[in-house]
């Protein structure tokens, strides 16, 4: 089975094996967003538990 090529560009692993992701809504239409909003979208966060199974399947991790 092949790894989803879109997923391998979007997700990274932490040292403990959790999956990191970037925030959405930070690529365009930035003029109407506040500085605080844009600043908070820069940081990475962990994939939520509700989506973890789907992401692991896209990355061929079972």
């Amino acid at each position: 089975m092949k790894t989803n090529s879109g997923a391998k560009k979007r997700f990274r692993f932490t040292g403990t094996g959790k999956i990191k992701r970037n925030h959405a809504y930070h690529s365009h239409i930035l003029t109407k967003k506040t500085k605080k909003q844009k600043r908070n979208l820069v940081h990475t966060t962990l994939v939520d538990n509700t989506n973890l199974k789907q992401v692991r399947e896209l990355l061929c991790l079972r």
Side-chain angles (χ1 to χ4, degrees):
M1 179 167 275
K2 291 185 179 179
T3 300
N4 182 283
S5 60
K8 66 185 173 188
K9 298 169 193 170
R10 286 172 170 82
F11 300 106
R12 300 278 180 268
F13 293 98
T14 63
T16 56
K18 296 176 183 172
I19 304 174
K20 295 191 297 187
R21 67 172 180 88
N22 290 323
H23 284 281
Y25 308 111
H26 190 65
S27 57
H28 57 93
I29 315 176
L30 298 173
T31 53
K32 60 178 77 170
K33 294 171 185 144
T34 62
K35 288 180 185 178
K36 181 179 180 180
Q37 203 175 357
K38 289 185 278 193
R39 185 171 63 242
N40 289 332
L41 290 173
V42 169
H43 309 296
T44 59
T45 186
L46 296 176
V47 172
D48 194 69
N49 287 333
T50 56
N51 300 323
L52 204 53
K53 185 179 176 185
Q54 293 167 315
V55 172
R56 289 178 67 82
E57 279 194 14
L58 289 171
L59 297 171
C60 293
L61 304 168
R62 292 197 191 119

